[in-house]
C-alpha cells in the first residue's frame, strides 16, 4: 500500500470511487476544490487508487480528517485503518479530529479500534442523523 497527494489527473478515478458523486453534484466540486488546495491524499494498491482522504483544518481549525472514502470493492480489507494511521503520522499537532454520522457504524467501529474518543455531536446537519465528533490524542515519536 502506498500513499501520495492527489493531483488533477486523479480526479476521474476519485469521482469513480466516491459513492456520493452520482447523487450529489456538490460532491465532485468538493473533491475538485480539495485537490486544488492540496488537501487530498490517495491510497494505491498495485498502482491503482483504492481510496482517498481529505486532511484539512475544517473542524475548529484543528487537524481534521474531513473525508475518508475507500472504493466499495476494496472495503473490509484494512485499507481505511491503514489510511487513518498514515494520516496520524502527518499532521502538524499531536491530535487528530474527524466526524461521522450516527448511522455510519463502519466508520465508528474503525475509529473505536484506533482509540478515537467521542467528543460531542452536532444536530441539524442531516435530518435525524446527528454528526458525531471524534478526537484522538497522538503520541509523537
Ligand atoms: C468507513 C470506511 C472508510 C471503512 O473503510 P475500510 O477500508 O472498509 O475499513 P477497514 O477495512 O480498515 O475496517 C473495516 C472492517 O473490515 C475489517 N477488516 C480489516 N482488515 C480485514 C481483513 N484483512 N479481512 C477481513 N476483514 C478485515 C475490520 O475488522 C472492520 O470490521 P468491522 O466493520 O466488523 O469492525 C468505508 O466503509 C467507506 O469508505 N465508507 C464510505 C465513506 C464513509 O462513510 N466515510 C466515513 C465518514 S468520512
Amino acid at each position: 500500500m502506498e500513499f501520495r497527494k492527489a493531483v488533477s489527473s486523479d480526479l476521474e478515478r476519485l469521482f469513480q470511487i466516491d459513492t456520493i458523486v452520482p447523487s450529489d453534484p456538490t460532491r465532485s466540486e468538493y473533491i475538485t476544490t480539495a485537490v486544488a488546495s492540496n488537501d487530498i491524499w490517495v491510497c494505491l494498491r498495485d498502482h491503482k487508487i483504492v481510496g482517498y482522504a481529505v486532511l484539512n483544518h475544517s473542524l475548529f481549525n484543528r487537524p481534521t480528517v474531513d473525508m475518508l472514502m475507500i472504493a466499495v470493492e476494496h472495503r473490509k480489507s484494512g485499507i481505511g485503518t491503514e489510511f487513518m494511521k498514515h494520516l496520524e503520522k502527518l499532521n502538524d499537532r499531536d491530535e487528530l479530529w474527524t466526524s461521522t454520522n450516527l448511522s455510519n457504524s463502519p466508520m465508528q467501529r474503525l475509529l473505536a479500534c484506533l482509540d478515537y474518543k467521542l467528543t460531542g455531536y452536532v444536530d441539524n446537519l442531516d435530518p435525524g442523523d446527528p454528526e458525531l465528533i471524534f478526537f484522538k490524542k497522538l503520541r509523537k515519536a
Side-chain angles (χ1 to χ4, degrees):
M1 221 178 290
E2 290 170 59
F3 300 93
R4 64 162 169 80
K5 283 287 183 86
V7 292
S8 54
S9 57
D10 296 326
L11 281 171
E12 199 177 325
R13 174 64 180 154
L14 298 182
F15 297 158
Q16 200 179 42
I17 66 175
D18 190 303
T19 46
I20 305 298
V21 164
S23 59
D24 180 352
T26 67
R27 188 61 161 238
S28 49
E29 287 168 32
Y30 166 80
I31 294 171
T32 304
T33 303
V35 169
S37 309
N38 207 25
D39 288 339
I40 295 201
W41 283 85
V42 291
C43 174
L44 297 97
R45 191 177 255 184
D46 298 328
H47 309 292
K48 188 172 182 182
I49 293 176
V50 293
Y52 81 85
V54 177
L55 182 64
N56 59 23
H57 290 78
S58 58
L59 273 179
F60 318 114
N61 202 28
R62 302 297 180 98
T64 302
V65 179
D66 198 44
M67 178 53 60
L68 176 66
M69 178 67 66
I70 307 302
V72 171
E73 65 276 20
H74 290 279
R75 289 181 190 169
K76 288 192 165 285
S77 64
I79 295 172
T81 301
E82 287 309 308
F83 213 148
M84 288 298 292
K85 288 183 187 170
H86 173 73
L87 299 172
E88 288 176 5
K89 288 184 211 147
L90 292 172
N91 75 81
D92 50 7
R93 293 199 199 178
D94 59 354
E95 60 187 40
L96 193 55
W97 295 71
T98 192
S99 72
T100 193
N101 285 102
L102 177 63
S103 62
N104 194 338
S105 325
M107 186 61 177
Q108 288 170 53
R109 281 198 300 272
L110 184 156
L111 293 172
C113 287
L114 290 173
D115 287 330
Y116 282 75
K117 305 294 176 215
L118 179 61
T119 303
Y121 68 93
V122 181
D123 275 330
N124 300 314
L125 291 171
D126 294 321
D129 195 4
E131 189 76 11
L132 308 183
I133 314 284
F134 289 86
F135 158 86
K136 182 173 179 178
K137 189 80 180 165
L138 305 173
R139 285 184 201 87
K140 303 304 275 185

